[in-house]
């Protein structure tokens, strides 16, 4: 018999193999069906949220802005999702780091729109990055609300899908800075302006305003990455200004203030007004400027004693509860406001369709921390799709923040 198989055993063996083959096929079909079911379930779960994109710097010289944005996003999502979300769904934020670089910014917003499938994009704080981003948003017909990039051209291009619920250069210069200069009677002003879209744009507006007001001025154009201003400051000292307007962002303005103190200009000869704001509130500020930070002035949208709306009080309380400290960088509140505007727009549109969202945003009428938002609808200038929040001018007095302008919001007197 050896290893030979009996004929009846051969037949049974073939049946067993055929049975095994059918079993394996059945299992493969079941696995495929299960995988498909899981895929459908995953897709359904993904659709349970409404995705909003946020762009801003988490790296680079203005990485502190990204940290402030993260705080504001967390608080806004707590508020919106804690109240049931929008259109019955939770709101989800997808953040794209732009590092203040226009090429990276354009690529980032393209990814948010075409791969992450966000229904709207918000944020940004660099004008150069925002000017690149609006081209992508407009081409893709995706609503984009700028929070903190100030160049007038962002809304002056009159793109239908681009909005700004934040300061613009014209609003900051004409309403806040020139009002401050005229009210306190400054006679000779030195302008330091970095060579960026924001710096060049706000410098031109300041020069126009000073000329119209009959105020003598001199202008120093400086590189945005410069850390050495001694030569420029010694020239300015001979001009004998009583005010310096510093349109320099990031850590660069810290070096400018410290060196202006070392050469004897601030605060004894002139006050210095920092035209952006947040760098004067960063932790590194006092480490670099030392005693020369006293009496320095800066532009801001926020002060602990100036609560423009009930929403501002609500934000302040929520911030302190979540982070265990008072808010400092006002850009946390800027992004918070913009997310509330976006959620309100989606709710009123009743849809995430971009055309319906754009129409809803145009008709916004919502109270946020900084006031009541209504976008400009008349084309032909930067005011189209622009809402300008009121700006404060704050002075450091013995490391305490004192609002010195506008007069109806001041919390103390200007010190010279």
């Amino acid at each position: 018999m050896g290893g030979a198989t009996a004929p009846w055993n051969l037949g049974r063996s073939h049946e067993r193999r055929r049975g095994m083959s059918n079993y394996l096929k059945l299992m493969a079909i079941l696995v495929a069906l299960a995988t498909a079911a899981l895929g459908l379930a995953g897709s359904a779960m993904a659709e349970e949220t409404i995705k909003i994109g946020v762009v801003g710097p988490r790296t680079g010289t203005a990485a502190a802005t990204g940290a402030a944005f993260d705080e504001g996003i967390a608080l806004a999502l707590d508020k919106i999702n804690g109240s049931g979300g929008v259109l019955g769904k939770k709101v989800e934020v997808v953040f794209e780091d732009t590092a203040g670089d226009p090429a990276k910014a354009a690529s980032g917003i393209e990814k948010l729109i075409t791969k992450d499938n966000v229904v709207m994009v918000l944020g940004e704080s660099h004008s150069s990055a925002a000017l690149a981003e609006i081209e992508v948003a407009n081409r893709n017909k995706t609503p984009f609300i700028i929070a903190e990039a100030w160049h007038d051209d962002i809304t002056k291009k009159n793109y239908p899908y681009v909005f700004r619920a934040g300061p613009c250069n014209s609003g900051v210069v004409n309403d806040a800075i020139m009002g401050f200069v005229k009210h306190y009677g400054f006679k000779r002003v030195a302008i330091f302006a970095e060579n960026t879209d924001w710096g060049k744009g706000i410098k031109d507006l300041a020069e126009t305003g000073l000329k119209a007001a009959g105020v003598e001025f001199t202008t120093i154009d400086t590189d945005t990455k410069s850390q050495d201003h001694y030569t420029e400051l010694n020239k300015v000292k001979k001009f004998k200004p009583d005010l310096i307007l510093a349109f320099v962002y990031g850590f660069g303005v810290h070096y400018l203030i410290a060196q202006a103190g070392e050469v004897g200009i601030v605060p004894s000869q002139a006050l210095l007004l920092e035209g952006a704001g947040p760098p004067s509130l960063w932790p590194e500020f006092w480490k670099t400027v030392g005693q020369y930070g006293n009496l320095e002035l800066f532009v801001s949208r926020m002060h602990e004693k100036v609560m423009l709306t009930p929403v501002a009080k609500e934000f302040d309380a929520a911030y302190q509860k979540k982070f265990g400290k008072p808010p400092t960088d006002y850009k946390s509140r800027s992004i918070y406001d913009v997310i509330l505007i976006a959620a309100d727009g989606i709710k009123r549109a009743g849809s995430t369709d971009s055309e319906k969202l754009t129409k809803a945003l145009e008709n916004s009428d919502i109270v946020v921390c900084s006031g009541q938002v209504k976008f400009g609808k008349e084309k032909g200038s930067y005011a189209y799709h622009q809402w300008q929040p009121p700006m404060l001018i704050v002075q450091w007095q013995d490391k305490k923040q004192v609002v010195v302008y506008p007069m109806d919001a001041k919390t103390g007197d200007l010190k010279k």
Side-chain angles (χ1 to χ4, degrees), residues 183-203:
H183 179 83
Y184 287 105
F186 291 99
K187 303 296 185 187
R188 296 172 67 85
V189 176
I191 300 172
F192 273 80
E194 65 177 34
N195 57 348
T196 62
D197 287 309
W198 167 70
K200 289 185 281 189
I202 198 166
K203 175 200 72 173

Side-chain angles (χ1 to χ4, degrees), residues 61-62 100 102 124-132 146 148-154 164 166-173 177 191-207 220-225 245-253 256 272-280 282 297-300 330-331 388 391:
T61 57
E124 196 52 72
S125 67
H126 287 280
S127 290
S128 299
L131 286 167
I146 301 288
E148 280 290 345
W150 295 7
H151 198 290
D152 282 0
D153 282 357
I154 291 167
R164 176 165 45 200
C168 65
N169 280 344
S170 284
V172 172
V173 171
I177 293 178
I191 300 172
F192 273 80
E194 65 177 34
N195 57 348
T196 62
D197 287 309
W198 167 70
K200 289 185 281 189
I202 198 166
K203 175 200 72 173
D204 290 345
L205 289 165
E207 288 179 338
I220 304 293
D221 297 312
T222 187
D223 189 276
T224 185
K225 296 180 180 177
L245 297 178
F247 300 131
V248 179
Y249 196 71
F251 298 125
V253 77
L256 176 64
L272 185 146
L273 170 57
E274 187 251 297
S280 295
W282 293 347
L297 300 137
F298 58 94
V299 175
S300 181
Y330 69 75
K331 292 189 177 180
Q388 172 73 36
M391 302 299 287

Side-chain angles (χ1 to χ4, degrees), residues 59-373:
T59 56
T61 57
T65 294
F69 274 8
D70 283 336
E71 293 175 342
I73 290 168
L75 292 171
L77 292 183
D78 284 351
K79 177 179 174 64
I80 295 167
N81 291 335
S83 301
V86 178
L87 305 184
K89 298 180 180 180
K90 300 287 186 184
V91 174
E92 176 186 354
V93 166
V94 184
F95 198 114
E96 195 65 29
D97 175 23
T98 64
D101 177 71
K104 189 174 174 63
S107 174
I109 193 172
E110 186 93 41
K111 172 183 171 293
L112 287 172
I113 295 170
T114 60
K115 291 188 177 180
D116 296 316
N117 298 317
V118 301
V119 301
M120 195 183 302
V121 183
L122 322 170
E124 196 52 72
S125 67
H126 287 280
S127 290
S128 299
L131 286 167
E133 290 160 349
I134 61 174
E135 302 297 333
V136 180
N138 203 56
R139 170 166 48 80
N140 285 282
K141 299 183 178 180
T142 301
F144 181 24
I145 311 176
I146 301 288
E148 280 290 345
W150 295 7
H151 198 290
D152 282 0
D153 282 357
I154 291 167
T155 48
K156 195 175 182 179
K157 292 192 175 185
N158 286 192
Y159 286 164
Y161 300 95
V162 176
F163 298 79
R164 176 165 45 200
C168 65
N169 280 344
S170 284
V172 172
V173 171
N174 298 334
D175 298 344
I177 293 178
M178 284 310 304
F180 169 77
V181 169
K182 292 175 186 176
H183 179 83
Y184 287 105
F186 291 99
K187 303 296 185 187
R188 296 172 67 85
V189 176
I191 300 172
F192 273 80
E194 65 177 34
N195 57 348
T196 62
D197 287 309
W198 167 70
K200 289 185 281 189
I202 198 166
K203 175 200 72 173
D204 290 345
L205 289 165
E207 288 179 338
T208 300
L210 292 169
K211 190 179 295 182
V215 177
E216 290 187 64
F217 65 90
T218 185
T219 300
I220 304 293
D221 297 312
T222 187
D223 189 276
T224 185
K225 296 180 180 177
S226 177
Q227 297 182 2
D228 185 346
H229 301 285
Y230 289 108
T231 302
E232 299 160 340
L233 285 164
N234 280 316
K235 290 180 182 176
V236 165
K237 189 175 182 179
K238 294 176 182 176
F239 177 70
K240 296 182 178 178
D242 52 7
L243 179 68
I244 294 176
L245 297 178
F247 300 131
V248 179
Y249 196 71
F251 298 125
V253 77
H254 296 177
Y255 295 111
L256 176 64
I257 295 167
Q259 292 163 20
E262 291 173 17
V263 301
I265 299 180
V266 298
S268 57
Q269 183 186 79
L271 293 178
L272 185 146
L273 170 57
E274 187 251 297
S280 295
L281 299 165
W282 293 347
E284 296 84 357
F285 177 78
W286 290 105
K287 294 177 184 175
T288 305
V289 306
Q291 62 179 315
Y292 303 121
N294 194 35
L295 304 189
E296 186 248 11
L297 300 137
F298 58 94
V299 175
S300 181
R301 286 176 65 175
M302 185 170 73
H303 187 275
E304 61 181 357
K305 294 182 180 178
V306 181
M307 297 292 173
L308 297 173
T309 70
V311 184
K313 294 180 180 177
E314 181 183 288
F315 171 87
D316 191 71
Y319 186 100
Q320 297 204 42
K321 181 178 181 182
K322 192 173 188 72
F323 301 110
K325 60 178 182 178
T328 51
D329 191 329
Y330 69 75
K331 292 189 177 180
S332 61
R333 212 173 67 171
S334 303
I335 194 72
Y336 178 88
D337 277 356
V338 172
I339 294 174
L340 295 191
I341 295 166
D344 174 69
I346 296 169
K347 183 178 179 181
R348 286 185 294 103
S351 166
T352 56
D353 174 78
S354 66
E355 301 301 327
K356 292 180 179 176
L357 285 177
T358 303
K359 191 68 178 175
L361 289 174
E362 280 189 331
N363 294 315
S364 292
D365 186 359
I366 177 176
V367 175
V368 295
C369 295
S370 295
Q372 186 168 12
V373 178

